[in-house]
Amino acid sequence: MHAIDVLGDPVRRRILELLAEGEQPAGTVGATVQREFGISQPAVSQHLKVLREHGFATVRAQGTRRLYAVDPGPLRELDEWLAGFRRFWTPPLAALATELARGRRERRLREGNSEERNTP
């Protein structure tokens, strides 16, 4: 299964978002996902298993609890694959950043000029 296939499922993407906040007990992840997606605990366990089997998540035992965390390896591989496509959105985003900066500068200049006129 390719990384895109693994992450194509919104439940698995949400689980990774939760794990990106830091290591989480399986029960906490399960409760959040069950509430948000209306799926059963066994279904959440299956999604965690897919993430684990494909290297996106790690699990470690702490007593009776299972703690899950993101494994960044496959995400790095996905990022490298996406690098070939960044040219489609990077220049437009850079142009947008330039326009936003220009707008902020013009607004500061206008506000500065209006304050000078109002000063006795």
Side-chain angles (χ1 to χ4, degrees):
M1 187 178 288
H2 189 275
I4 299 284
D5 297 322
V6 173
L7 299 178
D9 188 284
V11 173
R12 289 193 286 267
R13 287 194 309 270
R14 180 62 178 131
I15 290 171
L16 277 181
E17 289 170 358
L18 293 168
L19 298 180
E21 296 173 7
E23 190 175 56
Q24 305 267 340
T28 301
V29 172
T32 300
V33 172
Q34 285 177 276
R35 184 179 64 252
E36 292 178 5
F37 289 90
I39 64 175
S40 67
Q41 184 277 325
V44 175
S45 292
Q46 280 302 115
H47 285 291
L48 284 166
K49 180 180 177 183
V50 169
L51 290 170
R52 233 182 22 254
E53 287 178 348
H54 294 283
F56 286 89
T58 60
V59 64
R60 71 178 180 89
Q62 185 180 57
T64 59
R65 296 176 5 157
R66 298 291 173 258
L67 300 172
Y68 282 83
V70 169
D71 185 337
L75 295 172
R76 279 190 211 106
E77 292 171 17
L78 182 59
D79 184 57
E80 290 169 10
W81 183 79
L82 285 170
F85 299 94
R86 283 203 176 82
R87 63 187 166 93
F88 293 112
W89 63 81
T90 301
L93 289 177
L96 175 61
T98 299
E99 288 303 315
L100 290 172
R102 183 176 293 136
R104 285 190 299 268
R105 180 177 178 270
E106 289 172 359
R107 188 171 47 251
R108 280 194 312 269
L109 290 173
R110 279 194 312 270
E111 290 170 357
N113 288 338
S114 66
E115 287 177 12
E116 288 174 9
R117 282 183 254 151
N118 294 333
T119 305

